[in-house]
Amino acid sequence: MTEQQYNVRVAHLYGDLMNTYGDYGNIIALRYYAQQIGVEVSDQLVSLGDDFNADNFDFALFGGGQDYEQSIVAPDLQRIGSEVRRFIENDGPIIAVCGGYQLLGNYFIMADGTRVEGIGAMNIYTENQATTRFIGNVTIKNPETGEEYHGFENHQGRTYLSNQERPLGKVVIGNGNNGEDGNEGVIYRNVFGTYFHGPILTRNGNLALRMLELALVRKYPTVDWHSKLANVTPEFF
Ligand code: GLN
């Protein structure tokens, strides 16, 4: 009998338009860890005009982009919005970075004041700051797990969470979501939103392993993924 081949199918949402600072590296990191436990990771670009069927994917990456790219992506995202929301409500794991993170919320305001509608998959919203940006290295700590994450932020948007979400971490160094409430990023179901480029999963192997486990447990619930992943060493850059 041949060993069962496990796989994780990644949707790279608008990856040709939203890929600031090599956000695709998040998929490379996921694959790097997955192959160490015999799991294949495939990825497929889902962009303007493409179908997105939530049942065909086990993980999604929605990377960052500038206001201009976001204004092109936003109307098309409405077209597949209900399917993205279904993926999320069925506990599909998503890493959403910066511009992608903003578009999963209710709305964001561009630097020039234009309001862009998100798909309201999370009850968050993003205001603007007309003349300044948050740029630099960030360190955060997740209060529940005690894990620290490192990244690089470059955004004008100021994002605010509701009481239905929790932050990915509390800011130790840097600005985070909005420079005032000490929150960075979001966790909602299995959605991890963040302003961290770097890419985040490459620099933070602990988070990559956490997300890989979520995807595998959801897809193959009878396998003890936690024990398998305990043998994999997370790397940090
Ligand atoms: N346009 C957004 C902002 O500046 C997103 C930037 C990004 O994805 N790096 O807030």
Side-chain angles (χ1 to χ4, degrees), residues 69-87:
E69 284 82 10
Q70 284 175 282
S71 72
I72 293 170
V73 164
D76 194 79
L77 182 64
Q78 296 296 336
R79 187 181 52 80
I80 60 168
S82 61
E83 215 38 28
V84 174
R85 286 191 297 269
R86 186 166 76 85
F87 182 76

Side-chain angles (χ1 to χ4, degrees), residues 27 30 35 46 52 64 70 86 93 107 127 147 158 162-163 182 188 192 200 203 209 231:
I27 297 176
L30 208 66
Q35 69 190 11
V46 176
F52 175 74
Q70 284 175 282
R86 186 166 76 85
Y107 67 85
E127 301 292 344
E147 285 185 351
R158 295 175 292 127
S162 79
N163 57 13
Y188 171 73
F192 290 66
I200 184 168
R203 290 191 64 184
L209 291 176
N231 299 319

Side-chain angles (χ1 to χ4, degrees), residues 20-224:
T20 306
Y21 303 117
D23 289 333
Y24 180 80
N26 289 305
I27 297 176
I28 296 175
L30 208 66
R31 183 176 290 130
Y32 170 77
Y33 292 113
Q35 69 190 11
Q36 295 181 44
I37 53 165
V39 174
E40 236 176 63
V41 171
S42 60
D43 63 277
Q44 188 185 321
L45 176 65
V46 176
S47 193
L48 303 177
D50 293 340
D51 285 336
F52 175 74
N53 180 339
D55 299 329
N56 293 342
F57 296 99
D58 313 305
F59 193 98
L61 164 66
F62 196 1
Q66 301 311 314
D67 289 5
Y68 176 68
E69 284 82 10
Q70 284 175 282
S71 72
I72 293 170
V73 164
D76 194 79
L77 182 64
Q78 296 296 336
R79 187 181 52 80
I80 60 168
S82 61
E83 215 38 28
V84 174
R85 286 191 297 269
R86 186 166 76 85
F87 182 76
I88 290 170
E89 292 306 308
N90 288 337
D91 289 331
I94 301 188
I95 182 79
V97 184
C98 207
Y101 166 36
Q102 294 171 349
L103 286 175
L104 292 182
N106 291 326
Y107 67 85
F108 91 96
I109 310 291
M110 303 201 319
D112 70 3
T114 308
R115 178 181 162 124
V116 176
E117 298 305 317
I119 57 166
M122 299 181 282
N123 199 19
I124 66 172
Y125 62 94
T126 301
E127 301 292 344
N128 69 341
Q129 46 186 335
T131 54
T132 46
R133 297 182 69 81
F134 294 141
I135 305 171
N137 291 316
V138 200
T139 298
I140 61 171
K141 190 174 174 119
N142 182 293
E144 289 156 45
T145 61
E147 285 185 351
E148 265 195 7
Y149 305 125
H150 301 268
F152 177 79
E153 62 181 342
N154 184 353
H155 57 111
Q156 66 83 15
R158 295 175 292 127
T159 299
Y160 296 88
L161 312 183
S162 79
N163 57 13
Q164 292 158 35
E165 304 89 20
R166 47 202 212 282
L168 177 60
K170 297 303 272 184
V171 173
V172 179
I173 297 167
N175 294 287
N177 281 344
N178 51 51
E180 56 189 33
D181 64 14
N183 290 334
E184 203 300 311
V186 69
I187 301 177
Y188 171 73
R189 302 192 82 106
N190 289 336
V191 180
F192 290 66
T194 181
Y195 276 108
F196 282 19
H197 296 284
I200 184 168
L201 300 187
T202 307
R203 290 191 64 184
N204 302 278
N206 47 1
L207 185 60
L209 291 176
R210 181 179 294 275
M211 293 199 75
L212 182 59
E213 184 173 339
L214 286 171
L216 289 167
V217 166
R218 174 174 175 263
K219 185 167 188 186
Y220 306 106
T222 59
V223 179
D224 182 3

